[in-house]
Amino acid sequence: AEFQEYVNNLKKEIPNLIICGDYNICHEEIDIHNPKMKGVSGFLPVEREWIGNFIDSGFIDSFRYLNKEPDHYSWWSYRANARNNNKGWRIDYHMVSAPLKDRIKRAYILPEAKHSDHCPIVVELDF
């Protein structure tokens, strides 16, 4: 709630915002390799509701805005050969404020970059 209040106030001063990071939440079933994991932290109903409300407050999930297909993830557990089997989660986001919507040119994930259990995500805006 405090973060939401902070962002709401920030948007009044700076309407063109991109808030990037590891949110540690899969928003939709398409964002997790096994959507039956509803009782697992990172995919709990309360978490998914929070990120949905955040998006509804005037943000766009830039990747999902341009990419509707499944099996695109930004994090994989180190266990059970998850990355090689693409048993991942999409928990990293570039949330773009609504005034920038028409400027979103590309948004993609770089799963081939293996520097940690996460991989880089990219958003490109047209100015």
Side-chain angles (χ1 to χ4, degrees), residues 6 12 18 40 49 57-58 66 68 71 88 91 100 110 112 120:
Y6 171 75
K12 291 174 188 173
I18 303 172
V40 176
E49 179 182 4
S57 78
L66 298 176
K68 307 297 185 201
D71 304 321
I91 59 176
L100 293 172
L110 298 169
E112 64 279 359

Side-chain angles (χ1 to χ4, degrees), residues 24-49 89-91 93:
N24 254 349
I25 302 168
C26 289
H27 181 218
E28 302 288 345
E29 289 188 358
I30 193 174
D31 298 318
I32 190 169
H33 75 277
N34 182 358
K36 295 180 183 177
M37 298 173 63
K38 290 185 180 6
V40 176
S41 182
F43 197 58
L44 296 172
V46 66
E47 295 166 322
R48 296 174 63 207
E49 179 182 4
W89 301 43
R90 192 177 70 88
I91 59 176
Y93 298 87

Side-chain angles (χ1 to χ4, degrees), residues 63-124:
F63 181 81
R64 247 337 133 215
Y65 176 66
L66 298 176
N67 302 281
K68 307 297 185 201
E69 59 279 340
D71 304 321
H72 293 280
Y73 309 118
S74 62
W75 177 84
W76 300 262
S77 170
Y78 284 123
R79 298 180 185 160
N81 208 20
R83 192 169 195 147
N84 288 335
N85 294 315
N86 202 29
K87 303 291 184 188
W89 301 43
R90 192 177 70 88
I91 59 176
D92 302 281
Y93 298 87
H94 293 309
M95 296 293 192
V96 176
S97 62
L100 293 172
K101 179 179 180 179
D102 294 334
R103 296 193 178 273
I104 301 171
K105 179 180 174 185
R106 292 176 64 201
Y108 53 97
I109 299 172
L110 298 169
E112 64 279 359
K114 298 180 179 178
H115 305 290
S116 77
D117 52 347
H118 292 259
C119 70
I121 65 171
V122 180
V123 63
E124 295 178 16

